[in-house]
Amino acid sequence: MSRPRTSFEEFDWHLLVTVLLTSAVGLLFVWSTTHEEDSLGLLPRQLLFLGISLPVTALIVAQPPRRLLRWIWPAYGAICLVLVAQLFGAADEARGTRAWIPLVFGFKVQPSEFAKVVVVLAVADLLRRGRRLDRLVDLAAPAGVVAVPALLIAAQPDLGGAAVLLPVLAAMLFAAGVRSKLVWGSGLAIAVLAVSAYHSPLVRDYQRARVRAFFYSIPAETERLRELRAAGRHEEAREVAERLRAVKQGTNFQVYHSMISIGSGGWFGRGLGRGPHNRLGYLPERHNDFIFAVIGEETGLLGSTVVLCLHFVLILVLYSIASRTRDPFGRLLVVGVAALFTSQVFLNVGVALGLLPVTGVTLPFVSAGGSSMLAGYVAIGLVLSVGAHPVASLEGETYEEDGRSRAGAAHSERASADLALARARGDRYA
Amino acid sequence: MVLRRIRFLVAVTALLFGVLWIRLAHLQAMEHDFWEREALASRTGGRPVPFARGDILDRFGRPLAEGEIVHRLDFVFHTFRRETPLGLLYGALRLLADREPELSDHRWTLAAVASRSEEAAERLLEWRLSSIRSWDGRARGDLFFYARRLLGLEEREARRRWEKALERDGRIGDLVPNARARIVAAAARQREALADLEEALGWSPGSLLERIDQEVARLEARVAAETASLGDLSVKRRRSVRRDLERRPRTLEPRAPFRVVYLIHLVPERYAGFRIEDVERRLYPDETRDVAPLLVGRVGAPSPEAIERRERDRREYLRLISLPSERKDASIAERIALLRDRLRFEHVLPDEEVGISGLERTLEPVLRGRRGWRLEERTGDRRLERVLELVAPLDGLDVRLSLDADLQRAAQEVLDAHAEKGALVVLDPRDGEVLALATTPRPTRDDLRRRYAELVADPAGPLYHRAYRPPGNPPPPGSVFKLVTAAAALEAGALDPAELLRCDGTLHVGGTVLQCYHRLPHGSIDVVEALARSCNVFFYEVARRVRLAPLVAAARAAGFGEPTGIADPQRLGLEPGTPGLGEAGCPLQPGRGLLFAMRTAIGHAAVDDCTPLQVARMVSAVANGGFVVAPRLVLEIGGVPVPRAAPRPVGWSKRTLDVLREGMIAAVEYGTARPTNGDDLRRYRVAAKTGTPQAIERGRYVEHAWMAGFLPYDRPVLAFAVFVEDSPVGGGRATRPIVAALLRRPEAQRAIERGLAR
């Protein structure tokens, strides 16, 4: 028997084109945020990362998704080990976080970015067998699989990286058919928990203050200041002005300048590489965490809408692939990747727009950084592979192929179970 | 079911993206204007651009006062304490010392923190977090801030570790590994930076921090003084007092060398807390510094009223710009523009210098320029990126005075050498230009700066310029006035120039005995000799003939009873209400009767008050052929000549004037100003009249000494008046050496030559 062919009729060009377009936008803004008069900034580096990412994607696309199965858990274990090792000081503490591991030639790698993809794979593998997900205990295994790396990432500390994983888990469980009551119930529980947590004695005052600071509206306070001054109440106005200044320069510094950048962009922006807030360096981390602010400033509502649309289309294409995929593993994988991108985009852009507290999540394919880009392309590669091998995986040919491997027996068992399940559910996909 | 669920996920995704997009559109389309303003406000800032104050020049353009722009090195403790390793360490240790006095063995200063940073770091790092549990929240917050910034921790992370350390009963040093080495290294880097600054300033090593310690001690004393009345209740108010005082820049070096400017502008973050301000400062050049400090005056801090005026306008401005746009009609917009311009360009800033005395104050409106203003765009790390808008400053106008700096110095030195109290005026009789205006005792600029209070209390009145503003009662002109009496009599036809009158040394009028000086009889003398010998009896007789009214009229015509208007703001074209030099007007005294007329005739009674400047003007009229000139002190403002007031004819005939002149020449030849002890005024062809008025000063009988005259008598180019207050010897004997000494000076000779050449 021959190697299963990658089916290019089924290959999803829309996805690749969207991702490449998004990456192109990313390159533009990486240039815009980091170039100097005599240098291209991080652009060459970013191009290099793209150059590494594309062949890796091709390599993954050529593999039928099933072939990955036996690597999932070793990879999961390995990544957890790396995350644990990181906690014990393997990484530099210069920036107050242990998210990075130095690699050769001064390149550093951020394992948490890959961990996200591995978690998606692991959860997809857990859920593909179509066990019932009716009771709360049924959720324990997938929740545990997510919780371990999520907590490790949160301890780095990278709360944003951990927060990204929760919606991923939720979406995958939901797609895997968790009972609706559980969905609504947990949603309600989270809301109640959040409200009561705010009022509980467990939450410290400064944390509450931070929440309040988050709801502090600079335009509203500026308006109040204006009114006080107009009324000639200068003493009160002075206090409001002091507080405003403190907020602008202190707690909300990054978000304030991000909102300035975006708001001052207006309809059409100031032109690529010409945003004053960008070029004068008012935004820390403007080439990765706050790159959307620069997009807003330099291309205005038009450009930022285009970027949002690119991500939206990307995610839509992912969901359309998911709905076409009959293999549960592949489908869950694609849903997971879609949810991963959704929550990353939402967390990143939401922070830039002042909707969410600062978390430090990158914008997929746009933010500068090799780990994030490579992990994104690996995820896209997996999805494309799922898209390109729809029949093969469904009919289990690969299993016969792989049957010679050490884990062959187990695999064929699983494969036949999957086949049975797929057939049992087949009518539903029609 | 699966498809439905995926559709549901798609819907959720669409919802999330919708939320993002709506927020995006809200910011970019609806709130755009607000954020655009914020963007501009956060990147840009307006700064005043100093103007150069106008120079005050002497008649030859030599500067008496110059405006120049200097680089001032300022220090802001608030920034230094919060943003530099040494400042943070110091702040933390002081906080610990304040809170736990029994545990701190040492009162740390910045110098100590710098020189023993290892020990200082140790002190802080060994501190147990649990021991601050009892502190109030603010103090805890402060300590947390210091520790976090010193250890370079991001706030959130620092908070986490702080909590953790607190649970384990840890120390501050447990927050990060190697904390001490970190702090010590940072302190060493800052020490290096400060050493560079010291070198650039030319200060000795270590002196910078000592100086800062002094400033900090002063600041603490000030905080203590200002909060003493607050009581324990208002912690918040107390903190805000401290913060305001800490934020106020303190000048470390008024004129920093350019190397300092370069260092600080090159790497501002290396010198957090230090600032360079370009400021305009008054410079009094060494050569002319002390030739006329009272007349030129000085500059100082603006008055509280001026500051208050600015604050009022600032508040009104803030209120008006805050009005909702629909209420901003044209008149309000106009008012806003007016207030903005005033605040930007005109209002005196607290750190500006304004004229507070003398010509500096009178000429303030013209010497003071108009500030410029510039809108700067700065980068995220507060470096200057570019200047967006620039309104260039208008420098103040230069003022050229009629003073001859050399002659002024000579006159001042001569006067200082010969008299304890007195004045010396030299002017050009032809146009009234004042060439020298000396007074003694007089302070130097250093005196004015260092011992002003002493000068105010000094009974000798060193702050009064006796030439135009005598302290206490102005002196009577005495016999100098006999020139006017003679002129009045000659003009009235009451006296013939050749007529002889008899003097027996005393004269009985009613029950009063009037007398000549020392009761010496002069015999039968004519008016020329009477002027030369200053015979009282002769002029009593004249008074008896002419009566009071013509005498008073003549006095008025000769310029007595009214100020000379030297540097009169109105005449200089300045706004009414501008403070002048405070010239004494010396109004004529009312009185009647023969005795009053007689005493007026010899320069008392009706003319009991006068100034040397008035006397010099009177003799100028004799010298210039009968014109009462308006003394001019300011020749040009901004290169434009100040219009001269037309001289007023005194109304005396040439015959009369010739007689007066003859009398004055005779006085120098053989009369009261005759040569003695080698002081021969004839050599300089001086015509002069002396006077020795008597007065009661603070209950004591005193005699003053006068001499007024001009030279050369055949073509007068200089007129002068010398006045010695409370002189131990009579008129001529006291004043002759002064005039002779002045005329011996080459500066005087040059002035005469120049006068003759004009």
Side-chain angles (χ1 to χ4, degrees):
Chain A
M1 277 196 278
S2 67
R3 244 179 94 79
R5 268 204 211 104
T6 305
S7 155
F8 283 98
E9 293 87 68
E10 300 287 337
F11 185 80
D12 200 310
W13 294 104
H14 300 99
L15 183 61
L16 192 63
V17 168
T18 316
V19 167
L20 287 176
L21 273 178
T22 316
S23 294
V25 170
L27 291 176
L28 279 182
F29 285 96
V30 166
W31 172 80
S32 169
T33 48
T34 59
H35 78 100
E36 301 285 336
E37 263 165 51
D38 51 352
S39 93
L40 293 171
L42 292 182
L43 182 64
R45 250 173 95 103
Q46 199 67 6
L47 274 169
L48 176 68
F49 293 144
L50 191 61
I52 296 171
S53 301
L54 286 175
V56 170
T57 314
L59 211 68
I60 295 173
V61 173
Q63 309 299 317
R66 291 275 160 185
R67 195 173 279 179
L68 292 168
L69 285 177
R70 62 183 147 140
W71 294 108
I72 290 177
W73 295 102
Y76 181 83
I79 206 89
C80 285
L81 275 181
V82 170
L83 290 174
V84 169
Q86 269 190 298
L87 285 189
F88 291 96
D92 82 309
E93 245 181 290
R95 301 167 72 193
T97 165
R98 303 162 189 250
W100 300 84
I101 294 183
L103 220 61
V104 284
F105 304 128
F107 286 97
K108 285 180 287 185
V109 68
Q110 201 176 359
S112 62
E113 294 290 341
F114 298 100
K116 293 168 193 167
V117 182
V118 173
V119 166
V120 170
L121 282 170
V123 174
D125 188 46
L126 261 186
L127 298 179
R128 76 190 162 97
R129 269 160 279 217
R131 287 208 201 92
R132 295 180 66 80
L133 293 168
D134 294 343
R135 293 161 303 155
L136 215 51
V137 282
D138 299 335
L139 308 186
V145 164
V146 172
V148 171
L151 289 176
L152 287 172
I153 292 172
Q156 280 182 349
D158 177 7
L159 280 178
V164 158
L165 287 177
L166 294 181
V168 172
L169 174 67
M172 289 175 82
L173 283 173
F174 185 70
V178 73
R179 237 172 97 190
S180 313
K181 273 186 192 164
L182 276 182
V183 175
W184 303 124
S186 52
L188 197 69
I190 286 169
V192 169
L193 218 66
V195 173
S196 55
Y198 179 78
H199 295 286
S200 82
L202 282 175
V203 172
R204 290 171 206 281
D205 275 344
Y206 77 85
Q207 286 165 327
R208 260 192 283 271
R210 195 175 294 156
V211 173
R212 274 198 304 278
F214 171 69
F215 286 108
Y216 182 91
S217 159
I218 290 173
E221 285 299 296
T222 308
E223 176 64 16
R224 210 179 112 209
L225 177 63
R226 195 188 63 67
E227 278 165 9
L228 285 175
R229 278 183 176 159
R233 288 151 69 183
H234 292 286
E235 288 309 314
E236 287 160 80
R238 221 178 71 132
E239 271 171 36
V240 175
E242 282 267 319
R243 173 106 178 94
L244 254 177
R245 215 175 46 84
V247 166
K248 286 175 182 178
Q249 292 179 359
T251 41
N252 291 12
F253 178 80
Q254 289 176 316
V255 175
Y256 170 63
H257 282 286
S258 168
M259 283 160 80
I260 281 184
S261 298
I262 294 172
S264 66
W267 292 97
F268 303 110
R270 296 177 185 272
L272 197 65
R274 282 194 299 217
H277 240 65
N278 167 24
R279 296 310 303 162
L280 294 180
Y282 277 89
L283 273 171
E285 303 295 318
R286 61 186 183 280
H287 57 286
N288 45 48
D289 294 357
F290 280 97
I291 201 162
F292 192 79
V294 177
I295 296 175
E297 181 180 30
E298 299 193 340
T299 58
L301 183 56
L302 189 76
S304 21
T305 305
V306 167
V307 172
L308 272 188
C309 283
L310 276 175
H311 280 109
F312 188 53
V313 167
L314 170 68
I315 290 160
L316 281 189
V317 171
L318 288 177
Y319 280 122
S320 97
I321 293 175
S323 60
R324 265 182 285 144
T325 307
R326 299 184 175 184
D327 166 26
F329 170 71
R331 191 178 57 231
L332 286 170
L333 173 64
V334 178
V335 167
V337 168
L340 180 64
F341 287 160
T342 309
S343 58
Q344 284 204 38
V345 171
F346 190 76
L347 279 177
N348 177 284
V349 177
V351 167
L353 292 171
L355 285 173
L356 299 171
V358 180
T359 44
V361 174
T362 55
L363 190 59
F365 306 110
V366 178
S367 291
S371 302
S372 153
M373 174 177 268
L374 187 56
Y377 271 97
V378 166
I380 291 297
L382 291 170
V383 171
L384 286 173
S385 159
V386 168
H389 301 92
V391 189
S393 57
L394 190 67
E395 294 188 354
E397 281 178 20
T398 45
Y399 286 8
E400 300 309 321
E401 275 284 311
D402 284 347
R404 280 180 233 117
S405 69
R406 278 174 299 149
H411 276 295
S412 29
E413 261 174 50
R414 262 189 237 164
S416 41
D418 281 354
L419 264 180
L421 189 79
R423 279 178 192 137
R425 292 188 173 175
D427 50 341
R428 292 190 193 151
Y429 298 145
Chain B
M1 185 181 121
V2 169
L3 268 185
R4 227 173 45 222
R5 293 212 155 180
I6 287 181
R7 269 192 223 119
F8 183 79
L9 286 177
V10 168
V12 169
T13 308
L15 185 74
L16 290 177
F17 273 83
V19 168
L20 291 183
W21 192 84
I22 287 169
R23 174 71 172 166
L24 182 69
H26 184 72
L27 283 178
Q28 295 196 304
M30 299 176 65
E31 285 187 346
H32 170 69
D33 291 345
F34 174 82
W35 293 112
E36 180 74 50
R37 276 198 305 274
E38 288 288 306
L40 212 62
S42 69
R43 284 199 303 268
T44 62
R47 272 164 77 90
V49 184
F51 58 83
R53 194 175 169 83
D55 299 347
I56 299 180
L57 309 167
D58 87 336
R59 62 186 297 119
F60 305 111
R62 288 172 295 199
L64 300 171
E66 285 179 295
E68 61 160 3
I69 295 202
V70 296
H71 308 293
R72 191 182 70 200
L73 176 65
D74 280 357
F75 174 71
V76 181
F77 184 55
H78 194 256
T79 320
F80 187 84
R81 179 169 63 77
R82 293 165 57 92
E83 291 180 18
T84 70
L86 292 177
L88 288 163
L89 197 49
Y90 170 82
L93 289 171
R94 285 301 292 266
L95 185 65
L96 291 179
D98 285 350
R99 294 283 148 176
E100 313 281 341
E102 69 278 10
L103 292 175
S104 57
D105 50 341
H106 185 77
R107 192 88 177 147
W108 287 94
T109 59
L110 273 166
V113 168
S115 60
R116 291 182 290 147
S117 53
E118 208 150 324
E119 189 191 333
E122 196 56 54
R123 253 323 118 69
L124 174 66
L125 295 174
E126 74 192 8
W127 206 266
R128 274 198 194 283
L129 291 180
S130 53
S131 65
I132 66 162
R133 278 228 165 98
S134 59
W135 293 15
D136 63 89
R138 283 172 200 280
R140 276 207 310 256
D142 285 350
L143 189 62
F144 172 71
F145 173 84
Y146 289 130
R148 158 171 101 72
R149 296 290 289 258
L150 262 177
L151 302 175
L153 288 171
E154 186 259 338
E155 184 176 358
R156 196 167 305 197
E157 172 66 10
R159 189 75 70 178
R160 199 179 61 80
R161 294 186 188 190
W162 186 271
E163 301 289 338
K164 210 188 281 174
L166 204 56
E167 278 158 27
R168 287 199 306 245
D169 192 23
R171 304 156 196 268
I172 294 180
D174 299 337
L175 292 179
V176 294
N178 238 348
R180 200 178 76 159
R182 249 187 223 219
I183 295 176
V184 170
R189 275 197 302 277
Q190 194 188 353
R191 272 206 308 274
E192 238 168 71
L194 294 179
D196 287 351
L197 195 61
E198 270 165 354
E199 199 194 331
L201 280 163
W203 293 8
S204 61
S207 56
L208 181 58
L209 278 175
E210 277 168 25
R211 177 67 200 283
I212 291 176
D213 273 327
Q214 286 168 14
E215 292 291 339
V216 172
R218 224 168 286 164
L219 185 139
E220 295 292 344
R222 187 78 192 279
V223 171
E226 290 202 10
T227 53
S229 60
L230 285 174
D232 285 340
L233 283 173
S234 66
V235 176
K236 205 171 162 191
R237 177 87 193 97
R238 195 184 296 265
R239 280 175 77 92
S240 102
V241 166
R242 168 175 291 275
R243 192 179 51 218
D244 285 354
L245 285 170
E246 283 195 356
R247 280 200 186 136
R248 204 168 293 172
R250 272 141 212 289
T251 300
L252 289 183
E253 172 60 54
R255 285 156 202 270
F258 187 72
R259 170 121 184 84
V260 172
V261 181
Y262 175 76
L263 269 181
I264 291 179
H265 281 185
L266 193 68
V267 204
E269 60 273 20
R270 199 167 166 234
Y271 292 103
F274 295 97
R275 282 204 325 212
I276 293 290
E277 289 288 334
D278 295 347
V279 286
E280 130 80 25
R281 278 288 168 265
R282 202 48 153 171
L283 175 72
Y284 297 103
D286 289 343
E287 311 83 63
T288 54
R289 193 175 157 76
D290 282 320
V291 304
L294 284 179
L295 180 65
V296 172
R298 41 185 209 131
V299 291
S303 65
E305 297 82 53
I307 302 290
E308 176 57 32
R309 271 199 301 278
R310 169 164 170 269
E311 182 60 19
R312 257 205 315 275
D313 272 3
R314 201 181 67 86
R315 292 194 155 188
E316 189 188 349
Y317 174 71
L318 283 179
R319 189 176 64 76
L320 290 181
I321 57 167
S322 302
L323 288 176
S325 48
E326 66 272 13
R327 278 182 55 198
K328 282 186 205 154
D329 55 20
S331 71
I332 287 186
E334 206 173 287
R335 178 85 185 145
I336 287 175
L338 176 82
L339 288 170
R340 192 193 55 212
D341 284 2
R342 265 203 224 155
L343 287 167
R344 272 185 193 168
F345 306 123
E346 287 162 20
H347 271 306
V348 179
L349 301 180
D351 61 349
E352 274 179 344
E353 289 178 331
V354 295
I356 54 170
S357 70
L359 288 171
E360 292 273 26
R361 184 176 62 170
T362 301
L363 295 169
E364 176 72 13
V366 290
L367 289 173
R368 182 179 170 77
R370 190 178 153 90
R371 262 196 315 275
W373 183 83
R374 65 179 188 185
L375 188 65
E376 292 174 346
E377 184 171 47
R378 292 193 168 261
T379 60
D381 48 10
R382 310 316 295 168
R383 276 176 227 233
L384 178 66
E385 174 74 11
R386 61 193 168 133
V387 174
L388 298 174
E389 224 181 300
L390 175 68
V391 181
L394 294 177
D395 287 347
L397 300 177
D398 293 349
V399 170
R400 192 160 73 87
L401 303 182
S402 60
L403 284 188
D404 174 342
D406 289 340
L407 188 63
Q408 168 72 24
R409 185 187 297 110
Q412 191 63 62
E413 284 170 8
V414 167
L415 184 66
D416 289 343
H418 288 89
E420 270 178 39
K421 288 184 268 184
L424 170 51
V425 179
V426 181
L427 43 80
D428 187 324
R430 293 165 296 183
D431 49 16
E433 287 181 10
V434 179
L435 299 173
L437 212 52
T439 178
T440 200
R442 48 98 199 209
T444 61
R445 289 199 176 275
D446 282 342
D447 294 338
L448 285 171
R449 213 176 49 232
R450 300 216 179 103
R451 16 186 306 261
Y452 190 77
E454 271 175 61
L455 296 176
V456 172
D458 190 338
L463 292 176
Y464 289 86
H465 200 298
R466 288 175 152 79
Y468 54 85
R469 190 185 174 212
N473 285 334
S479 303
V480 174
F481 188 75
K482 285 172 183 162
L483 291 168
V484 181
T485 309
L490 290 168
E491 285 299 311
L495 182 68
D496 188 83
E499 194 178 348
L500 297 178
L501 295 176
R502 179 156 183 84
C503 163
D504 293 325
T506 54
L507 182 69
H508 296 265
V509 184
T512 313
V513 181
L514 299 173
Q515 52 186 349
C516 257
Y517 196 62
H518 291 183
R519 301 191 181 193
L520 293 175
H522 290 110
S524 291
I525 49 173
D526 64 0
V527 62
V528 170
E529 197 177 341
L531 285 171
R533 299 198 191 278
S534 202
C535 174
N536 286 354
V537 173
F538 184 96
F539 288 99
Y540 292 143
E541 184 54 36
V542 168
R544 194 201 299 277
R545 291 184 189 180
V546 295
R547 300 284 160 184
L548 183 60
L551 281 183
V552 171
R556 221 177 273 287
F560 288 96
E562 58 167 10
T564 63
I566 177 181
D568 173 34
Q570 222 164 338
R571 209 202 285 171
L572 295 173
L574 305 174
E575 269 181 48
T578 310
L581 290 178
E583 187 189 2
C586 305
L588 299 180
Q589 305 292 322
R592 44 205 280 257
L594 181 60
L595 211 55
F596 191 77
M598 285 178 160
R599 296 192 58 242
T600 303
I602 61 159
H604 286 89
V607 287
D608 212 32
D609 295 346
C610 75
T611 63
L613 197 57
Q614 284 174 323
V615 170
R617 174 164 70 162
M618 185 267 287
V619 292
S620 293
V622 179
N624 65 20
F627 292 95
V628 178
V629 292
R632 299 177 77 206
L633 188 55
V634 180
L635 296 184
E636 285 175 6
I637 293 177
V640 179
V642 173
R644 64 179 67 187
R648 171 162 55 81
V650 70
W652 300 340
S653 66
K654 185 169 181 309
R655 208 175 61 118
T656 302
L657 292 168
D658 284 345
V659 170
L660 299 181
R661 195 174 299 141
E662 250 181 83
M664 292 170 79
I665 295 168
V668 173
E669 295 260 333
Y670 61 83
T672 51
R674 68 183 173 276
T676 41
N677 302 334
D679 293 329
D680 189 351
L681 299 182
R682 288 176 305 179
R683 205 189 317 159
Y684 308 105
R685 299 202 285 175
V686 173
K689 178 77 196 81
T690 61
T692 314
Q694 291 109 44
I696 307 293
E697 288 278 327
R698 287 191 208 88
R700 193 168 65 86
Y701 174 83
V702 295
E703 282 185 356
H704 304 313
W706 282 101
M707 184 187 292
F710 49 85
L711 70 155
Y713 52 71
D714 45 354
R715 196 190 158 197
V717 293
L718 294 184
F720 63 87
V722 184
F723 169 66
V724 180
E725 191 178 313
D726 192 5
S727 168
V729 292
R733 282 172 62 199
T735 53
R736 190 170 38 227
I738 300 179
V739 177
L742 177 63
L743 292 176
R744 269 199 297 272
R745 299 279 296 236
E747 295 92 341
Q749 290 309 310
R750 273 203 299 277
I752 295 169
E753 280 158 32
R754 283 203 198 95
L756 287 171
R758 275 176 70 198

